[in-house]
mmCIF file of all heavy atoms in Angstrom:
data_model
loop_
_atom_site.group_PDB
_atom_site.id
_atom_site.type_symbol
_atom_site.label_atom_id
_atom_site.label_comp_id
_atom_site.label_asym_id
_atom_site.label_seq_id
_atom_site.Cartn_x
_atom_site.Cartn_y
_atom_site.Cartn_z
ATOM 1 N N ASN A 39 -20.629 9.428 17.368
ATOM 2 C CA ASN A 39 -20.518 9.866 18.748
ATOM 3 C C ASN A 39 -21.851 9.749 19.499
ATOM 4 O O ASN A 39 -21.873 9.385 20.663
ATOM 5 C CB ASN A 39 -20.017 11.317 18.799
ATOM 6 C CG ASN A 39 -18.557 11.419 18.407
ATOM 7 O OD1 ASN A 39 -17.833 10.429 18.467
ATOM 8 N ND2 ASN A 39 -18.116 12.593 17.995
ATOM 9 N N TRP A 40 -22.968 10.085 18.827
ATOM 10 C CA TRP A 40 -24.268 9.958 19.477
ATOM 11 C C TRP A 40 -24.528 8.510 19.873
ATOM 12 O O TRP A 40 -25.012 8.229 20.967
ATOM 13 C CB TRP A 40 -25.373 10.431 18.529
ATOM 14 C CG TRP A 40 -25.613 11.902 18.558
ATOM 15 C CD1 TRP A 40 -25.299 12.812 17.599
ATOM 16 C CD2 TRP A 40 -26.214 12.645 19.620
ATOM 17 N NE1 TRP A 40 -25.657 14.079 17.991
ATOM 18 C CE2 TRP A 40 -26.221 14.008 19.217
ATOM 19 C CE3 TRP A 40 -26.732 12.319 20.868
ATOM 20 C CZ2 TRP A 40 -26.742 15.020 20.023
ATOM 21 C CZ3 TRP A 40 -27.251 13.326 21.670
ATOM 22 C CH2 TRP A 40 -27.250 14.657 21.246
ATOM 23 N N LEU A 41 -24.194 7.582 19.001
ATOM 24 C CA LEU A 41 -24.467 6.171 19.276
ATOM 25 C C LEU A 41 -23.522 5.604 20.328
ATOM 26 O O LEU A 41 -23.876 4.660 21.037
ATOM 27 C CB LEU A 41 -24.358 5.355 17.986
ATOM 28 C CG LEU A 41 -25.403 5.669 16.916
ATOM 29 C CD1 LEU A 41 -25.119 4.867 15.653
ATOM 30 C CD2 LEU A 41 -26.807 5.358 17.430
ATOM 31 N N ASP A 42 -22.322 6.183 20.399
ATOM 32 C CA ASP A 42 -21.320 5.649 21.313
ATOM 33 C C ASP A 42 -21.332 6.296 22.694
ATOM 34 O O ASP A 42 -20.558 5.907 23.567
ATOM 35 C CB ASP A 42 -19.921 5.826 20.712
ATOM 36 C CG ASP A 42 -19.706 4.948 19.488
ATOM 37 O OD1 ASP A 42 -20.485 3.982 19.327
ATOM 38 O OD2 ASP A 42 -18.789 5.227 18.695
ATOM 39 N N LEU A 43 -22.198 7.277 22.881
ATOM 40 C CA LEU A 43 -22.241 7.935 24.186
ATOM 41 C C LEU A 43 -22.602 6.933 25.289
ATOM 42 O O LEU A 43 -23.421 6.046 25.080
ATOM 43 C CB LEU A 43 -23.280 9.057 24.184
ATOM 44 C CG LEU A 43 -22.910 10.364 23.494
ATOM 45 C CD1 LEU A 43 -24.119 11.299 23.490
ATOM 46 C CD2 LEU A 43 -21.740 11.044 24.193
ATOM 47 N N PRO A 44 -22.002 7.071 26.462
ATOM 48 C CA PRO A 44 -22.395 6.211 27.592
ATOM 49 C C PRO A 44 -23.888 6.367 27.886
ATOM 50 O O PRO A 44 -24.465 7.427 27.682
ATOM 51 C CB PRO A 44 -21.545 6.747 28.749
ATOM 52 C CG PRO A 44 -20.382 7.407 28.097
ATOM 53 C CD PRO A 44 -20.900 7.989 26.821
ATOM 54 N N ARG A 45 -24.477 5.315 28.396
ATOM 55 C CA ARG A 45 -25.912 5.305 28.637
ATOM 56 C C ARG A 45 -26.345 6.430 29.575
ATOM 57 O O ARG A 45 -27.364 7.088 29.351
ATOM 58 C CB ARG A 45 -26.322 3.949 29.230
ATOM 59 C CG ARG A 45 -27.835 3.783 29.427
ATOM 60 C CD ARG A 45 -28.149 2.437 30.048
ATOM 61 N NE ARG A 45 -29.569 2.301 30.304
ATOM 62 C CZ ARG A 45 -30.439 1.764 29.462
ATOM 63 N NH1 ARG A 45 -30.016 1.315 28.287
ATOM 64 N NH2 ARG A 45 -31.722 1.670 29.785
ATOM 65 N N ASP A 46 -25.574 6.688 30.630
ATOM 66 C CA ASP A 46 -25.973 7.718 31.582
ATOM 67 C C ASP A 46 -25.897 9.114 30.970
ATOM 68 O O ASP A 46 -26.718 9.990 31.292
ATOM 69 C CB ASP A 46 -25.120 7.646 32.853
ATOM 70 C CG ASP A 46 -23.639 7.823 32.581
ATOM 71 O OD1 ASP A 46 -23.199 7.532 31.448
ATOM 72 O OD2 ASP A 46 -22.902 8.226 33.508
ATOM 73 N N VAL A 47 -24.957 9.322 30.063
ATOM 74 C CA VAL A 47 -24.858 10.617 29.388
ATOM 75 C C VAL A 47 -26.054 10.817 28.466
ATOM 76 O O VAL A 47 -26.670 11.885 28.431
ATOM 77 C CB VAL A 47 -23.539 10.725 28.597
ATOM 78 C CG1 VAL A 47 -23.512 12.024 27.787
ATOM 79 C CG2 VAL A 47 -22.344 10.671 29.546
ATOM 80 N N THR A 48 -26.397 9.785 27.714
ATOM 81 C CA THR A 48 -27.561 9.858 26.834
ATOM 82 C C THR A 48 -28.829 10.116 27.642
ATOM 83 O O THR A 48 -29.678 10.915 27.250
ATOM 84 C CB THR A 48 -27.713 8.554 26.030
ATOM 85 O OG1 THR A 48 -26.524 8.320 25.267
ATOM 86 C CG2 THR A 48 -28.898 8.641 25.072
ATOM 87 N N ALA A 49 -28.949 9.451 28.781
ATOM 88 C CA ALA A 49 -30.124 9.643 29.635
ATOM 89 C C ALA A 49 -30.217 11.092 30.106
ATOM 90 O O ALA A 49 -31.304 11.682 30.125
ATOM 91 C CB ALA A 49 -30.061 8.702 30.828
ATOM 92 N N THR A 50 -29.097 11.673 30.479
ATOM 93 C CA THR A 50 -29.086 13.067 30.929
ATOM 94 C C THR A 50 -29.541 14.004 29.813
ATOM 95 O O THR A 50 -30.311 14.950 30.048
ATOM 96 C CB THR A 50 -27.675 13.467 31.392
ATOM 97 O OG1 THR A 50 -27.285 12.629 32.483
ATOM 98 C CG2 THR A 50 -27.640 14.917 31.839
ATOM 99 N N ILE A 51 -29.099 13.732 28.594
ATOM 100 C CA ILE A 51 -29.502 14.556 27.449
ATOM 101 C C ILE A 51 -30.994 14.418 27.192
ATOM 102 O O ILE A 51 -31.705 15.415 26.987
ATOM 103 C CB ILE A 51 -28.697 14.160 26.194
ATOM 104 C CG1 ILE A 51 -27.216 14.493 26.391
ATOM 105 C CG2 ILE A 51 -29.248 14.857 24.955
ATOM 106 C CD1 ILE A 51 -26.310 13.953 25.317
ATOM 107 N N LEU A 52 -31.500 13.199 27.231
ATOM 108 C CA LEU A 52 -32.918 12.975 26.964
ATOM 109 C C LEU A 52 -33.796 13.646 28.028
ATOM 110 O O LEU A 52 -34.872 14.165 27.718
ATOM 111 C CB LEU A 52 -33.216 11.476 26.911
ATOM 112 C CG LEU A 52 -32.604 10.702 25.734
ATOM 113 C CD1 LEU A 52 -33.013 9.238 25.801
ATOM 114 C CD2 LEU A 52 -33.021 11.304 24.401
ATOM 115 N N LEU A 53 -33.336 13.635 29.257
ATOM 116 C CA LEU A 53 -34.122 14.249 30.335
ATOM 117 C C LEU A 53 -34.357 15.731 30.084
ATOM 118 O O LEU A 53 -35.392 16.281 30.477
ATOM 119 C CB LEU A 53 -33.413 14.053 31.675
ATOM 120 C CG LEU A 53 -33.574 12.684 32.333
ATOM 121 C CD1 LEU A 53 -32.669 12.568 33.539
ATOM 122 C CD2 LEU A 53 -35.022 12.433 32.729
ATOM 123 N N LYS A 54 -33.411 16.374 29.428
ATOM 124 C CA LYS A 54 -33.553 17.800 29.157
ATOM 125 C C LYS A 54 -34.648 18.083 28.129
ATOM 126 O O LYS A 54 -35.115 19.225 28.006
ATOM 127 C CB LYS A 54 -32.222 18.374 28.685
ATOM 128 C CG LYS A 54 -31.121 18.331 29.748
ATOM 129 C CD LYS A 54 -29.843 18.956 29.247
ATOM 130 C CE LYS A 54 -28.741 18.881 30.296
ATOM 131 N NZ LYS A 54 -29.077 19.642 31.520
ATOM 132 N N LEU A 55 -35.076 17.063 27.402
ATOM 133 C CA LEU A 55 -36.114 17.257 26.387
ATOM 134 C C LEU A 55 -37.498 17.409 27.001
ATOM 135 O O LEU A 55 -38.373 18.044 26.421
ATOM 136 C CB LEU A 55 -36.126 16.065 25.420
ATOM 137 C CG LEU A 55 -34.863 15.838 24.594
ATOM 138 C CD1 LEU A 55 -35.024 14.582 23.753
ATOM 139 C CD2 LEU A 55 -34.563 17.047 23.711
ATOM 140 N N GLY A 56 -37.729 16.795 28.157
ATOM 141 C CA GLY A 56 -39.056 16.801 28.760
ATOM 142 C C GLY A 56 -39.857 15.575 28.339
ATOM 143 O O GLY A 56 -39.584 14.940 27.319
ATOM 144 N N ALA A 57 -40.863 15.258 29.124
ATOM 145 C CA ALA A 57 -41.622 14.028 28.925
ATOM 146 C C ALA A 57 -42.345 13.993 27.585
ATOM 147 O O ALA A 57 -42.393 12.951 26.912
ATOM 148 C CB ALA A 57 -42.632 13.846 30.065
ATOM 149 N N ILE A 58 -42.923 15.102 27.169
ATOM 150 C CA ILE A 58 -43.701 15.121 25.928
ATOM 151 C C ILE A 58 -42.809 14.820 24.735
ATOM 152 O O ILE A 58 -43.159 14.005 23.864
ATOM 153 C CB ILE A 58 -44.408 16.481 25.754
ATOM 154 C CG1 ILE A 58 -45.406 16.713 26.883
ATOM 155 C CG2 ILE A 58 -45.123 16.559 24.414
ATOM 156 C CD1 ILE A 58 -46.051 18.083 26.873
ATOM 157 N N GLU A 59 -41.647 15.432 24.678
ATOM 158 C CA GLU A 59 -40.732 15.215 23.564
ATOM 159 C C GLU A 59 -40.189 13.788 23.563
ATOM 160 O O GLU A 59 -40.030 13.169 22.501
ATOM 161 C CB GLU A 59 -39.582 16.219 23.650
ATOM 162 C CG GLU A 59 -38.606 16.152 22.487
ATOM 163 C CD GLU A 59 -39.227 16.577 21.178
ATOM 164 O OE1 GLU A 59 -40.016 17.550 21.171
ATOM 165 O OE2 GLU A 59 -38.928 15.944 20.155
#
Side-chain angles (χ1 to χ4, degrees):
N39 289 339
W40 275 108
L41 294 176
D42 292 342
L43 283 175
R45 184 182 177 92
D46 59 335
V47 174
T48 302
T50 299
I51 294 171
L52 293 181
L53 281 172
K54 295 182 181 297
L55 297 177
I58 297 174
E59 184 67 40

